[in-house]
Amino acid sequence: MKIAILNGPNLNLLGTRETSVYGSVSFVDYLKSLKKEFQNVEIEYFQSNIEGELIDKLHEIGFSYDGILLNAAAYTHTSIAIADAVKAITTPVIEIHISNVTNREEFRHNSYIAPNCIGVILGFGLKSYKLALQYFVNSQ
Ligand code: DQA
């Protein structure tokens, strides 16, 4: 089974960025633990701060992978282009957020992407990624 994790802008700074909101573990370290736990899953990781690169990646993998975990970060709340890309592909996408965006600033409450995803997991810290992976593994 092939699953991709796509992280959007500023998520390369996890571990040092606003640690009271996002925690102090880097994504690279978290990914190591995920790969250890899900040894039967081929996990590809891609992070970009550039909207078009995220769209290109969705096009590249979105017809062959079994699932995509997408944390588009701030683009969640602004990007019709990423929402359209998610709609255009056939691989099911789960929207992920580390923080509970529903109890943060108003501008974080809207997601252009969520209506085109099979579901959304938010507010469980980095564990949000694990919960989404478990969904794909269990629905195999
Ligand atoms: C985030 C929430 C977004 O509102 C924010 O812009 C991020 C991270 C999260 O994972 O909680 O960069 O997607």
Side-chain angles (χ1 to χ4, degrees), residues 9 11 17 22 71 73-74 77 96-99 101 104 108:
L11 293 175
R17 166 198 186 200
Y22 299 113
N71 186 346
H77 321 299
I96 307 286
H97 296 289
I98 297 161
S99 63
V101 285
R104 298 182 64 195
R108 294 186 205 276

Side-chain angles (χ1 to χ4, degrees), residues 102-133:
T102 66
N103 67 17
R104 298 182 64 195
E105 303 94 323
E106 186 96 33
F107 64 83
R108 294 186 205 276
H109 296 183
N110 177 57
S111 168
Y112 283 105
I113 295 165
N116 300 334
C117 293
I118 55 166
V120 180
I121 299 179
L122 58 88
F124 294 95
L126 288 173
K127 212 174 178 186
S128 296
Y129 294 88
K130 176 179 163 172
L131 293 170
L133 258 176

